[in-house]
Structure formats: C-alpha cells, structure tokens
C-alpha cells in the first residue's frame, strides 16, 4: 500500500484503537500515548513489511502491550505491579464503530467542563490540531492547549468509571462536538484545502450512530439533518482550483439530491415533536436554501425570521453575523450593514465578519469600501483557499 494510503488508514483507525484501549484499561492520557506509539510503529513497519491482515487488531495489540509497559513502569514505582499482571488484552469482537462512539462519550466525561469535553473529543476523535480547535472556539491556541491538558489531567484524577450513558448533558456535549467536527471538515479553517471530507464524513457517520441510539431526541435528529442538508452542497462548493464558490453561484444540479431528501425527511420527523432546538432551526434554514430552485428564489424573509429565533436561543456572534447577512438579503444591504455594526467587536477579528461586510458593501454599490473589506478579510483568513477567493473578489472589483 502506498504511504499516503497507510496514512489515511491510520487516521481512520486511530480513534477506534484509542477507544478500544481506553474502554478496556481506562487511563486516557497513557492510552493516548500508547496509541500514538502503535501508529508510529505501523507507519514505520507497514511500508517495508506489508500491511497486516487485520490492521485494527494489530494496532490494538501493540498499543495494549505498550500501555501495559507504561502502567507497569508507573505502578512499579507505587509497588502495585501485581494488578497489571492480571490484565488481558481487549476483546477483538467489539465493532469499530462502537469503539469510536465509546470514545466520544468517554471524552465527554462528567468530571470535565463542557468546553473541555468538546476540546478533548475534537483532539482524540476528530484528529484536529490544537490550533484548529482554538479557531473553532475563537480562543488563543495557548488557551486551548491548557484546556486540553487540564481535561486529560481531570479524567486521570476523577476516579469516575468510564461508561456509555446518554444523559442529556453528555448527549448535548457529544452533539456539539460532532457539529464542530463537521464544520471543520466542511470549511477547513487552515491548510491548503477548503474541504476536509474525511472529517465531515466521519461526523455524519457518528451522527447517524447517535441518531440510531436516541431516535426520539429532536436535536440528535436535527443535527444529522443539518449535516446532510449542508454537505449536499459540497460537490458544487469548490472550483477546479479548490477556491470556494458562493452558494448564489453554485450549480445546484450538482447538489446531492439524496442527502437533501433525507435531510428534509429527518427534519419533518423532528420538528412536530416539541420545541425546536438550535440544530433543528439551523437545519430548517439549510432546507430553505436547498429547496430554493435558484439563489434569486431563496426565501430570505423566512431565513431572517429563523435566525431571529436562533438568536433568542443562543447569543452566539456567528449566529448574529449570519442574521445580519440575512437582514441584508431580505431588506436591503444598508439594513444588513447596520445590523453588522451592532455586533461591535464581538467577531470583528474574524475574516467572516469582513467578508460579509464586503459582500453587503458591494451590493450597496460602495465599491472602494468593498475592495478594502475583501482585502482585510483575506488578511485575516487562516485557510489559503479563502485567502485566494477573497483576493480574487477584490481584484474583480478594481
């Protein structure tokens, strides 16, 4: 197998192996170290010796042995090695999907704060770098590094047994984690690619599993619907050079009609069953975009109204930004710009704020200011596709 193929396989297997080892032994921090050593051993040995028949079992065996060594060393210092000697390797009959889901709930450990649960899961299950997680949370990278370190230490010190419950608090954290993982895959915040389809596909896969486990939970259903309705547009989102294509300019014939139909069916199933949560409302907004025959026929007044409902549920600056854009599309660019100004400094450091401002200024005919805002947005963007796109928008207006 080519080296790139091995790297892709190891990325897929990493959370499954970590989940299997943690499920059997606990000791999250040491299990993570042991899993990383097993992945490194595979990356070194497999290209030369060939891939084993059961790569997952090979990795679990190597990681388990390494974890046993680490625990023996640690417990020898405490004179408790006799406990480790009695341990056995993890059972091999557990499904990979189960292990990944177990890891999701383990990262949402009750001893951790919601922010730490989310950050740790993004790191362990999503494979995001600390810098990517920090951008998802709109916090400095150093802050996120400390948060993840504290989360690992908290799990180690808590002494609370690992389990796979579905209490509302744990489930809410898991859903939020999957949402952030999907967003990072659908619109990568860094690197050369706009889309990281491995992350968005993994988020959808895990959301399907969670939905099967809790089919009556409206937000679990709404999140899966939101992912499908959003990911349906992925085939038309980028040009041949990898640059983003705005929704208004996308070839809607390339959208995934199967995902659109499935997402709308899920949304129709969830909405009648009680008060709608954030994911259901976002899914309803996505459905209005997907069902519009053309950009011109989009029901912007209805989208604006839904964003107003969403704002009442969550005082989130990104939601406020999207609401301002919807106001501009429904009532005119000047009103949209006024709504943007009301945001103050809450999100003014993010490139999305300046890109939205540039778009509304362009609609209003303020070309010089639009160019300046596009360039400002490009300067703040962390992903190279976004930078190229924003510079191109500015150049088009010169």
């Amino acid at each position: 197998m080519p080296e790139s193929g091995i790297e892709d396989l190891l990325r897929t297997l990493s959370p499954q192996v970590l989940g299997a080892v943690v499920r059997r032994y606990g000791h999250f921090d040491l299990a993570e170290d042991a899993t990383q050593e097993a992945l490194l051993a595979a990356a070194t040995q497999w290209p030369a010796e060939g891939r084993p028949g059961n790569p997952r079992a090979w990795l679990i065996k190597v990681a388990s042995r390494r974890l046993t060594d680490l625990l023996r060393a640690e417990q020898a210092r405490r004179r408790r090695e006799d406990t480790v000697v009695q341990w056995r390797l993890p059972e091999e009959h557990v499904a990979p999907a189960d292990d990944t889901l177990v890891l999701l709930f383990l990262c949402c450990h009750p001893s951790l704060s919601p922010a730490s649960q989310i950050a740790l899961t993004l790191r362990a299950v999503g494979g995001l770098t600390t810098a990517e997680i920090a951008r998802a949370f709109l916090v400095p990278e150093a802050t996120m590094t400390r948060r993840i370190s504290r989360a690992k230490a908290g799990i180690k010190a808590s002494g609370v047994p690992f389990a796979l419950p579905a209490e509302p608090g744990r489930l809410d954290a898991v859903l939020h984690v999957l949402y952030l993982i999907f967003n990072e895959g659908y619109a990568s915040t860094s690197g050369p690619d706009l889309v990281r389809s491995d992350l968005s596909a993994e988020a959808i896969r895990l959301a399907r599993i969670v939905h099967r486990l809790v089919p009556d939970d409206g937000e679990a259903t709404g999140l899966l619907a939101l992912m499908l309705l959003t990911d349906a547009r992925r085939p038309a989102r980028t040009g041949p050079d990898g640059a983003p294509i705005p929704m208004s300019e996308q070839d809607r014939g390339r959208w995934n009609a199967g995902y659109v139909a499935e997402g709308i069916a899920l949304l129709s199933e969830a909405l009648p069953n009680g008060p709608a949560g954030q994911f259901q409302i976002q899914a309803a907004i996505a459905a209005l975009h997907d069902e519009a025959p053309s950009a011109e026929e989009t029901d912007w007044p209805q989208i604006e109204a839904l964003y107003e409902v969403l704002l009442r549920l969550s005082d989130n600056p990104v939601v406020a930004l999207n609401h301002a854009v919807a106001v501009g599309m429904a009532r005119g660019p000047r009103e949209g710009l006024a709504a943007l100004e009301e945001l103050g400094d809450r999100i003014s450091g993010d490139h999305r704020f300046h890109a939205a401002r540039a778009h509304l200024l362009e609609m209003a005919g303020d070309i010089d200011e639009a160019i300046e805002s596009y360039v400002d947005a490009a300067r703040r963007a962390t992903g190279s596709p976004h930078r190229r796109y924003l510079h191109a928008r500015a150049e088009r207006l010169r």
Side-chain angles (χ1 to χ4, degrees), residues 129-146:
T129 66
T130 304
E132 289 168 339
I133 302 170
R135 279 190 288 273
F137 277 96
L138 304 178
V139 300
E141 184 176 351
T143 300
M144 188 53 63
T145 299
R146 290 192 296 271

Side-chain angles (χ1 to χ4, degrees), residues 49-69:
E49 302 174 8
R51 191 182 72 175
N54 188 334
R56 176 176 173 270
W58 188 98
L59 288 166
I60 291 174
K61 185 176 182 180
V62 173
S64 297
R65 286 176 174 170
R66 181 55 184 149
L67 179 61
T68 301
D69 291 340

Side-chain angles (χ1 to χ4, degrees), residues 33-316:
D33 290 341
T35 299
Q36 288 302 315
E37 291 195 26
L39 294 170
L40 180 60
T44 303
Q45 295 178 32
W46 292 0
E49 302 174 8
R51 191 182 72 175
N54 188 334
R56 176 176 173 270
W58 188 98
L59 288 166
I60 291 174
K61 185 176 182 180
V62 173
S64 297
R65 286 176 174 170
R66 181 55 184 149
L67 179 61
T68 301
D69 291 340
L70 291 171
L71 286 165
R72 278 186 177 137
E74 179 177 296
Q75 294 185 352
R77 289 193 296 270
R78 303 175 185 179
R79 300 182 178 180
R80 286 185 286 188
E81 190 170 352
D82 56 325
T83 303
V84 180
V85 174
Q86 300 174 16
W87 287 357
R88 295 174 296 172
L89 293 178
E91 302 88 342
E92 296 300 332
H93 66 272
V94 179
D98 291 343
D99 282 335
T100 305
L101 187 62
V102 166
L103 185 58
L104 266 172
F105 279 92
L106 298 188
C107 289
C108 296
H109 200 279
S111 67
L112 303 179
S113 69
S116 294
Q117 292 171 345
I118 292 165
L120 188 59
T121 307
L122 285 169
R123 186 76 182 90
V125 183
L128 275 66
T129 66
T130 304
E132 289 168 339
I133 302 170
R135 279 190 288 273
F137 277 96
L138 304 178
V139 300
E141 184 176 351
T143 300
M144 188 53 63
T145 299
R146 290 192 296 271
R147 187 176 295 173
I148 291 173
S149 297
R150 285 197 301 268
K152 292 179 181 179
I155 284 181
K156 183 176 181 181
S158 69
V160 177
F162 291 109
L164 186 58
E167 308 104 331
R170 298 279 291 277
L171 181 59
D172 289 348
V174 167
L175 296 180
H176 193 183
V177 165
L178 296 181
Y179 176 66
L180 289 176
I181 293 173
F182 176 81
N183 283 346
E184 181 60 32
Y186 188 74
S188 182
T189 58
S190 64
D193 300 318
L194 176 70
V195 175
R196 293 172 62 182
S197 56
D198 55 341
L199 285 180
S200 54
E202 179 69 2
I204 291 172
R205 186 183 73 83
L206 292 172
R208 288 189 188 280
I209 294 172
V210 173
H211 174 57
R212 285 200 299 270
L213 285 174
V214 285
D216 296 329
D217 186 273
E219 280 293 79
T221 305
L223 177 61
L224 178 56
L226 172 61
M227 289 181 180
L228 293 169
L229 291 165
T230 305
D231 200 60
R233 307 177 208 128
R234 180 165 49 87
R237 284 190 68 233
T238 55
D241 61 349
I245 299 174
M247 195 188 307
S248 60
E249 300 173 17
Q250 289 175 17
D251 178 0
R252 297 181 178 226
R254 298 184 62 200
W255 289 359
N256 186 327
Y259 270 16
V260 172
E262 184 182 358
I264 290 172
L266 286 165
L267 185 61
S268 301
E269 167 192 324
L271 285 177
N273 299 325
Q278 296 180 40
F279 294 130
Q280 293 170 70
I281 295 170
Q282 289 186 63
I285 293 170
L288 286 170
H289 283 296
D290 287 8
E291 289 183 302
S294 66
E296 294 73 25
E297 296 173 88
T298 302
D299 189 349
W300 283 107
Q302 181 67 13
I303 290 173
E304 179 195 351
L306 286 170
Y307 271 121
E308 287 176 359
V309 174
L310 198 55
L311 276 174
R312 290 197 289 271
L313 294 177
S314 171
D315 185 26
N316 182 303

